[in-house]
């Protein structure tokens, strides 16, 4: 495709008086005008900025009749895949700690760290899945490949729990022996096998996590007047499917484990994943696909290299002929329309600064299009928002592992019914399910009256609400843990940390569970919708991967934080237990929760600052287009 130069005027106009004689400021603003002159964009009928390209079928051909594809029917086939993945994820996150302790005879602390690493790998590796989807495979084939890997890992875990050769000898290993740590430990090769299949399972999530939500959102027509409403409801229903998977994991899978054993419990997860894969493939004729746009990492590298090469070139240089872009609506990037030029990160604009010496066919490592430069700017501008959710993920990880130890010391009876300890995390899921069910009937109407926002709250407002509630959750956890520990010591349970105290109910934990569930609803759902809409057209899987990577970093952060706390607060020579002692009654979990409260408050302040500075692409592009139109009458015409 032939390129068109966007030339500077032959005679520079005088600097307007309103700019106070600052010609450099005037030139900075004109850069955007030059690009706008060449960009014949359109806005979706429903209003606001939308990106993307015409949907295609699985063979990459245009779909002749869109009414026969996509929509909610196609989205529900995709929901099932995410539901099974979440069911396996949460089923392993809770049951694997107990499996390693009771069957593999590993200490609670090392078991929790291993599971934290599994959680971290399953989320942090999402950037790889997002890259493959956006660059080469597309979201459909990325999901198809990695769900198969996920299923293989679950099958391997099932074999470990089923065959005696993969576990240590269980003879003469009662509860007292577990307390003393005198049971036969797992052999190194047995732990190596378990870690291998566990991390293979985590790696399988790499292609599911960043692609399923984006692929589901792709099923809705951007030209529809109700597109924004459909998208908002989709991400709420999407997270509802995640919650249902978690509830099943914390109830049905735990029940199967108690009645049928570990092999049946892990096997049920593998069967559920196999069924969801089948359902996903059955829905293939209904799906709308987006063409992969080529390697996003290559495009980012090209911008950085080109900007570095021209770092010493001034925007007022006589060699400058304009910002480089291709003509027409479509950009040079497959699967992406053009993106309006912005004045953020001006140093990167030099990658699109066309000089006379660049010639007619410039190398992409020396000259990039404006849209390519703006892609990089958007990725950089998005970073602070998901980064601020790392602390929330860290708290969730600590709750999933450490609260299990708390529950073992408490009474889990409801009347005559005794709930297993591993069922306790079901309550955050139930609170999420309840909130999502009432979200549109209660929260949206009330908040709409307060904020005036059509959806009750903007995406960043919802993330902020979630982070604020998470502070309350972890603060309450510290208060209750202090009370629980003091009660255990007074009642003589200090050294029997696996014996439940009959007069202290485990349901005091529900307060922190439900609060963290509310925080998840607002924060994660808002974040997923925010990243999907704000990410560049050809990088939406990468954008969704931001959320998963933040979650993974939170898991790894929990492991690192636990290791640091154990090394700093514990002293084996002086027999001084650490805050995270295996005996929770001699440890100080409350100090850890209060430390996390302090981190959460600091993180919330950083988020408020970042959110206040962030400009949505809808508002930003609308403002710049209006400025461009108003300036066309007062500036010389731009030569084509």
């Amino acid at each position: 495709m032939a390129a068109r130069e966007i030339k500077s005027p032959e005679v520079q106009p005088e600097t307007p008086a309103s700019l106070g004689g600052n010609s450099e400021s005037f030139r900075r603003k004109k850069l955007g005008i030059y690009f706008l002159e060449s960009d014949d964009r359109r806005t979706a009928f429903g209003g606001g900025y939308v990106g993307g390209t015409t949907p295609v079928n699985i063979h990459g051909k245009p779909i002749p009749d869109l009414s026969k594809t996509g929509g909610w029917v196609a989205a529900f086939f995709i929901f099932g895949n995410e539901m099974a993945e979440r069911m396996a994820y949460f089923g392993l996150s809770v049951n694997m700690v107990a499996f390693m302790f009771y069957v593999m005879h590993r200490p609670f602390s090392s078991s929790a760290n291993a599971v934290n690493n599994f959680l971290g790998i399953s989320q942090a590796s999402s950037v790889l899945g997002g890259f493959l989807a956006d660059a080469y495979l597309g979201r459909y084939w990325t999901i198809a490949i990695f769900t198969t890997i996920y299923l293989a890992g679950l099958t391997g875990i099932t074999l470990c729990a089923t065959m005696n050769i993969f576990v240590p000898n269980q003879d003469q290993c009662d509860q007292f022996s577990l307390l003393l740590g005198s049971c036969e430990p797992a052999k190194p090769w047995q732990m190596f096998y378990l870690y291998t299949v566990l991390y293979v399972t985590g790696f399988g999530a790499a292609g599911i996590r960043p692609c399923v939500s984006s692929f589901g959102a792709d099923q809705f027509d951007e030209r529809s007047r109700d597109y924004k409403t459909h998208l908002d409801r989709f991400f709420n229903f999407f997270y509802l499917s995640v919650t249902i998977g978690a509830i099943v994991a914390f109830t049905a899978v735990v029940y199967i484990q108690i009645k049928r054993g570990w092999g049946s419990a892990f096997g049920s997860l593998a069967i559920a994943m196999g069924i969801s894969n089948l359902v996903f493939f059955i829905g293939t004729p209904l799906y709308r696909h987006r063409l992969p746009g080529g390697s996003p990492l290559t495009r980012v590298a090209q911008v950085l290299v080109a900007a570095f090469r021209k770092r010493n070139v001034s925007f007022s240089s006589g060699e400058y002929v304009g910002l480089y872009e291709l003509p027409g609506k479509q950009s040079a990037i497959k699967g992406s329309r053009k993106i309006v030029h912005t004045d953020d990160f001006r140093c990167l604009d030099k990658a699109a600064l066309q000089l006379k010496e660049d010639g007619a066919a410039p190398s992409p490592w020396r000259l990039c299009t404006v849209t390519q430069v703006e892609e990089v700017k958007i990725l950089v501008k998005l970073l602070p928002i998901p980064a601020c959710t790392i602390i929330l993920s860290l708290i969730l990880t600590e709750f999933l592992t450490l609260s299990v130890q708390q529950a073992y010391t408490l009474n889990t009876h409801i009347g005559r019914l005794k709930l297993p300890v591993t069922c306790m995390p079901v309550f955050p899921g139930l609170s999420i399910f309840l909130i999502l069910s009432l979200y549109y009937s209660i929260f949206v109407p009330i908040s709409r009256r307060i904020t005036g926002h059509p959806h009750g709250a903007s995406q960043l407002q919802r993330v902020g609400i979630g982070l604020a509630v998470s502070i309350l959750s972890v603060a309450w956890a510290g208060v209750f843990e202090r009370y629980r520990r003091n009660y255990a010591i007074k009642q003589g349970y200090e050294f029997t940390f696996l014996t439940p105290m009959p007069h202290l109910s485990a349901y005091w934990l529900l307060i922190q569970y439900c609060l963290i569930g509310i925080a998840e609803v607002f924060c994660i759902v808002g974040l997923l919708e925010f990243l999907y809409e704000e990410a560049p057209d050809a990088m939406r899987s990468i954008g969704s991967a931001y959320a998963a990577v933040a979650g993974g970093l939170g898991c790894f952060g929990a492991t690192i934080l636990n290791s640091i706390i154990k090394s700093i607060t514990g002293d084996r020579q002086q027999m001084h237990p650490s805050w995270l002692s295996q005996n929770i009654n001699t440890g100080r979990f409350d100090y850890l929760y209060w430390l996390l409260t302090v981190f959460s408050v600091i993180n919330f302040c950083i988020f408020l600052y970042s959110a206040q500075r962030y400009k949505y692409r809808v508002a930003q592009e609308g403002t710049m287009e209006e400025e461009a139109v108003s300036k066309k009458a007062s500036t010389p015409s731009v030569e084509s």
Side-chain angles (χ1 to χ4, degrees):
M1 180 181 292
R4 179 178 64 179
E5 291 185 353
I6 308 172
K7 297 182 179 179
S8 301
E10 294 291 340
V11 180
Q12 294 291 340
E14 295 182 2
T15 303
S18 60
L19 295 176
N22 190 343
S23 59
E24 178 61 23
S25 175
F26 184 55
R27 290 191 186 99
R28 286 163 62 96
K29 292 187 177 182
K30 286 194 305 178
L31 293 180
I33 296 175
Y34 293 151
F35 173 63
L36 287 167
E37 289 283 353
S38 70
D39 186 9
D40 184 19
R41 293 182 314 281
R42 66 165 176 82
T43 302
F45 190 66
Y49 172 88
V50 292
T53 57
T54 303
V56 297
N57 60 23
I58 193 172
H59 304 294
K61 305 296 182 182
I63 301 174
D65 187 0
L66 288 178
S67 64
K68 296 182 179 179
T69 62
W72 285 105
V73 176
F76 279 117
F77 278 97
I78 299 169
F79 284 149
N81 191 266
E82 179 64 13
M83 191 183 303
E85 190 276 327
R86 295 282 84 187
M87 174 180 165
Y89 175 84
F90 286 109
L92 291 175
S93 66
V94 174
N95 291 290
M96 187 54 66
V97 175
F99 178 76
M100 287 187 178
F101 180 76
Y102 285 106
V103 179
M104 306 304 286
H105 306 151
R106 303 290 297 173
F108 258 127
S109 58
S110 63
S111 300
N113 284 342
V115 173
N116 287 348
N117 290 334
F118 156 73
L119 300 177
I121 289 175
S122 68
Q123 297 191 76
S125 59
S126 297
V127 70
L128 173 62
F131 167 78
L132 292 175
D134 285 340
Y136 306 111
L137 300 177
R139 289 186 260 278
Y140 173 86
W141 288 111
T142 304
I143 295 171
I145 292 171
F146 281 86
T147 52
T148 305
I149 296 174
Y150 205 112
L151 179 59
L154 289 174
T155 303
I157 293 174
T158 303
L159 291 176
C160 179
T162 304
M163 303 177 67
N164 291 332
I165 190 174
F166 291 114
V167 298
N169 189 354
Q170 304 299 314
D171 295 338
Q172 299 179 348
C173 184
D174 53 18
Q175 184 169 333
F176 184 70
S177 300
L178 283 171
L179 289 172
L180 296 177
S182 59
C183 293
E184 178 184 327
K187 297 180 177 62
W189 73 267
Q190 292 172 330
M191 290 307 303
F192 176 78
Y193 172 80
L194 178 59
Y195 285 149
T196 299
V197 293
L198 184 63
Y199 295 149
V200 165
T201 305
F203 179 72
I208 303 174
R209 196 74 51 79
C211 296
V212 171
S213 60
S214 298
F215 189 50
D218 287 344
Q219 306 309 309
F220 298 96
D221 189 356
E222 295 176 339
R223 297 167 298 179
S224 169
R225 182 184 297 275
D226 298 326
Y227 173 69
K228 293 283 291 182
T229 300
H230 287 317
L231 203 62
D232 181 68
R233 290 181 179 271
F234 164 77
F235 282 105
N236 278 279
F237 281 119
F238 172 80
Y239 210 71
L240 186 62
S241 70
V242 170
T243 304
I244 293 173
I247 291 173
V248 173
F250 295 139
T251 53
V253 176
V254 170
Y255 178 81
I256 292 173
Q257 184 271 315
I258 294 174
K259 296 296 183 180
R260 300 292 182 180
W262 294 104
S264 297
F266 294 139
S268 65
L269 299 178
I271 292 172
M273 179 56 69
I275 294 173
S276 75
N277 289 358
L278 179 62
V279 171
F280 176 76
F281 290 125
I282 290 175
T284 298
L286 299 174
Y287 299 145
R288 298 173 182 175
H289 304 260
R290 307 280 181 171
L291 293 174
S295 172
L297 298 184
T298 301
R299 297 200 299 276
V300 171
Q302 288 172 343
V303 170
L304 298 179
V305 170
F308 179 79
R309 284 181 170 181
K310 296 181 179 178
R311 63 191 182 279
N312 295 323
V313 179
S314 172
F315 288 112
S316 60
S317 170
E319 296 296 311
Y320 160 59
V321 295
L323 297 180
Y324 181 70
E325 185 57 273
L326 298 183
K329 296 180 181 180
Q330 298 295 334
S331 71
I333 303 165
K334 185 188 298 183
S336 175
R337 279 192 287 271
K338 292 178 180 177
I339 305 175
V340 68
H341 174 268
T342 64
D343 281 332
D344 300 317
F345 305 107
R346 295 280 299 176
C347 58
L348 295 177
D349 279 336
K350 293 189 176 182
L353 194 62
Q354 187 171 14
L355 306 178
K356 294 177 181 178
E357 64 187 50
D358 289 327
S363 166
W365 294 93
R366 183 171 180 81
L367 182 63
C368 304
T369 65
V370 170
T371 296
Q372 188 174 339
V373 172
E374 291 301 322
E375 277 190 332
V376 180
K377 290 183 182 181
I378 291 171
L379 291 180
V380 175
K381 287 188 289 186
L382 288 177
L383 275 175
I385 304 303
C388 288
T389 65
I390 293 176
I391 291 294
L392 174 63
S393 175
L394 193 154
I395 295 172
L396 286 167
T397 303
E398 297 287 23
F399 278 2
L400 279 174
T401 53
L402 301 182
S403 61
V404 172
Q405 288 180 254
Q406 289 178 290
Y408 273 115
T409 69
L410 302 170
N411 180 7
T412 61
H413 282 83
I414 300 180
R416 295 184 179 181
L417 176 64
K418 184 181 187 300
L419 287 182
V421 168
T422 47
C423 272
M424 293 303 295
V426 73
F427 291 101
L430 291 175
S431 66
I432 293 173
F433 183 86
L434 180 63
I435 294 166
L436 287 175
S437 301
L438 301 176
Y439 183 83
Y440 290 104
S441 59
I442 296 179
F443 173 77
V444 172
I446 294 176
S447 58
R448 186 186 292 133
R449 294 178 182 178
I450 299 174
T451 64
H453 194 280
H455 301 295
S458 69
Q459 296 146 1
L460 290 181
Q461 285 173 339
R462 280 181 277 168
V463 174
I465 292 172
L467 294 179
V469 175
S470 71
I471 297 174
L472 299 177
S473 174
V474 72
W476 167 258
V479 171
F480 174 71
E481 171 55 22
R482 181 178 180 86
Y483 175 81
R484 188 212 60 78
R485 181 180 182 274
N486 291 339
Y487 183 89
I489 294 174
K490 290 179 181 178
Q491 299 298 320
Y493 289 92
E494 183 174 1
F495 300 104
T496 54
F497 63 95
L498 290 181
T499 302
M501 297 177 284
H503 300 297
L504 187 57
S505 174
Y507 298 102
W508 284 104
L509 294 173
L510 297 190
I511 297 177
Q512 68 195 55
Y513 279 154
C514 292
L515 285 174
I516 202 66
I518 295 172
E520 262 197 285
V521 169
F522 284 98
C523 186
I524 305 303
V525 176
L527 180 64
L528 288 174
E529 185 178 345
F530 169 77
L531 292 174
Y532 180 82
E533 289 201 54
E534 296 295 304
D537 296 341
M539 293 186 178
R540 280 179 167 169
S541 296
I542 292 288
S544 298
Y546 270 15
V549 170
L553 292 177
C555 297
F556 289 130
T559 300
I560 295 171
L561 179 63
N562 292 349
S563 298
I564 293 174
I565 287 176
K566 288 172 64 177
S567 64
I568 293 177
T569 61
D571 191 336
R572 291 186 177 182
Q573 294 181 351
Q574 298 184 9
M575 301 298 291
H576 185 274
S578 72
W579 290 2
L580 299 177
S581 171
Q582 178 160 299
N583 182 349
I584 186 175
N585 295 330
T586 59
R588 297 307 305 248
F589 279 27
D590 53 335
Y591 289 173
L592 171 62
Y593 287 140
W594 287 338
L595 179 64
L596 291 178
T597 303
V598 174
F599 287 166
S600 298
V601 172
I602 297 173
N603 177 73
F604 183 65
C605 294
I606 295 173
F607 169 79
L608 291 179
Y609 175 78
S610 302
Q612 186 178 21
R613 291 176 57 86
Y614 187 85
K615 294 180 180 179
Y616 286 97
R617 288 177 66 185
V618 173
Q620 188 174 16
E621 298 198 358
T623 301
M624 294 197 68
E625 287 184 356
E626 291 174 3
E627 290 180 355
V629 171
S630 63
K631 289 181 180 180
K632 284 181 182 179
S634 60
T635 56
S637 60
V638 181
E639 297 177 7
S640 297

